[in-house]
Amino acid sequence: MTAPTPEYRHSKCYANTRGGCSTSISGEHYISHALIRLYTFDDPDVRIQPTPNYRIPVAIQPKKFVANVLCAAHNNGLSDADRTALTFAAFLREIALRYKNGAGEWGAPEEVEISGDDFQRWVLKLLITHAAADVYMDKDGTRVKTIVPDEAIDLLLDRAMWPRTWGLGVTGDLSNSHLKFDPFTQVETATSNWWSAAPLIKHEPRLLFGGIVDLAGVSFTLCLFNQSEALLHDGEINPLRRVIQRPSALSWVFDGVPKTVRFRWSDPWKHLPITFNMRR
């Protein structure tokens, strides 16, 4: 890989807004390669069949599930975000596999700590990659050409501080049917149905406004706008209804025993813990 230069902007790199590109383009995985390896038990012979919106008509090796939308320098610079998502998913998946949808053991209290900043960046990166690769589809099956705002790139590359009313969120209301919160009682979340990405798109112009990303059975909202009003709107159609922004921790408690993911945040905003009480 050639070294990045401050002035160079690779034409195929979506993160080229302020330069700093290398001259080589790299394959950015639609979903982190390490996560695919985790959920396929690192089987070297596994093949995946992407859905039609990815325009890949045959089953492929996971390493080929990529879009050429980032230069090597910017891709490598986001590796901490991928590692953080892997730590989150591996922790919850291991518990789920032992719990066996209630037929196994819940065990002793367990806890892991990850960077909330890096996890927030991972969610943003996944949404931007899909937009830059032009794979989002409308309800009628037509392709949605989506503009990625420059502000999103600055946040992704840690060039700007997230505004208080933007950013990551998790459901604070279990009646919100749009958002998942249970990694343990549906076996599919530990095997086949372990991730998804859906954008929030402003219609005119078609601007990426955020989205909803599922990982390991948990939904995360990501907003690139002031979501204060949306959080309070009680309409059933509203996926942001009563979302809690940037939690300090997510805990799942069964028979008084917690399994907890703690998030480290560098911003000055208030962070609240969320607890989900589980029953068989």
Side-chain angles (χ1 to χ4, degrees):
M1 183 189 79
T2 57
T5 58
E7 301 83 12
Y8 181 64
R9 300 184 181 190
H10 198 295
S11 61
K12 292 184 178 180
C13 178
Y14 69 67
N16 70 2
T17 54
R18 297 180 187 268
C21 289
S22 57
T23 57
S24 57
I25 205 72
S26 67
E28 164 66 2
H29 276 81
Y30 287 104
I31 182 74
S32 303
H33 190 200
L35 286 169
I36 299 176
R37 292 174 61 184
L38 173 71
Y39 281 92
T40 57
F41 298 92
D42 205 11
D43 181 352
D45 298 322
V46 75
R47 297 292 184 271
I48 59 175
Q49 178 60 70
T51 51
N53 56 305
Y54 292 101
R55 292 166 286 184
I56 302 174
V58 297
I60 56 172
Q61 295 174 304
K63 67 180 182 180
K64 295 183 178 180
F65 188 41
V66 298
N68 294 324
V69 293
L70 271 180
C71 73
H74 284 126
N75 198 348
N76 292 339
L78 294 168
S79 57
D80 285 347
D82 289 310
R83 282 191 288 268
T84 299
L86 177 63
T87 299
F88 173 87
F91 177 74
L92 295 183
R93 183 172 182 269
E94 176 64 24
I95 297 168
L97 291 176
R98 293 198 313 261
Y99 185 58
K100 297 179 182 177
N101 196 19
E105 297 295 328
W106 183 248
E110 294 179 77
E111 181 176 307
V112 69
E113 182 178 89
I114 63 174
S115 166
D117 301 294
D118 282 335
F119 192 81
Q120 185 171 240
R121 291 169 71 208
W122 178 81
V123 173
L124 177 58
K125 179 170 77 84
L126 191 150
L127 292 168
I128 291 177
T129 297
H130 281 69
D134 191 26
V135 297
Y136 287 133
M137 304 288 284
D138 220 333
K139 291 182 179 179
D140 63 2
T142 59
R143 199 169 304 282
V144 180
K145 291 186 176 296
T146 310
I147 300 169
V148 178
D150 288 354
E151 294 88 346
I153 303 303
D154 285 343
L155 292 168
L156 179 68
L157 301 182
D158 206 22
R159 294 169 174 163
M161 179 178 172
W162 286 82
R164 181 180 60 82
T165 57
W166 294 27
L168 192 78
V170 179
T171 188
D173 183 346
L174 301 190
S175 69
N176 185 340
S177 60
H178 300 279
L179 304 180
K180 299 177 181 179
F181 60 89
D182 180 1
F184 306 119
T185 60
Q186 293 185 5
V187 67
E188 292 82 6
T189 62
T191 55
S192 57
N193 189 23
W194 54 272
W195 81 282
S196 68
L200 298 173
I201 298 175
K202 186 179 180 181
H203 288 290
E204 292 299 336
R206 303 303 290 267
L207 191 72
L208 184 68
F209 235 27
I212 300 172
V213 169
D214 292 351
L215 180 62
V218 184
S219 297
F220 295 92
T221 61
L222 194 288
C223 291
L224 299 170
F225 63 94
N226 185 339
Q227 58 191 295
S228 300
E229 183 178 345
L231 301 182
L232 301 175
H233 193 277
D234 275 339
E236 290 290 328
I237 197 173
N238 176 23
L240 301 178
R241 177 166 53 97
R242 299 177 191 169
V243 160
I244 295 176
Q245 289 181 263
R246 300 187 189 89
S248 62
L250 299 178
S251 294
W252 293 264
V253 179
F254 179 70
D255 283 348
V257 177
K259 310 289 188 179
T260 301
V261 178
R262 298 201 180 277
F263 295 90
R264 280 189 323 276
W265 296 98
S266 62
D267 61 58
W269 318 126
K270 184 177 182 180
H271 304 283
L272 299 174
I274 303 174
T275 298
F276 302 106
N277 291 305
M278 298 179 57
R279 300 181 180 87
R280 286 196 192 274

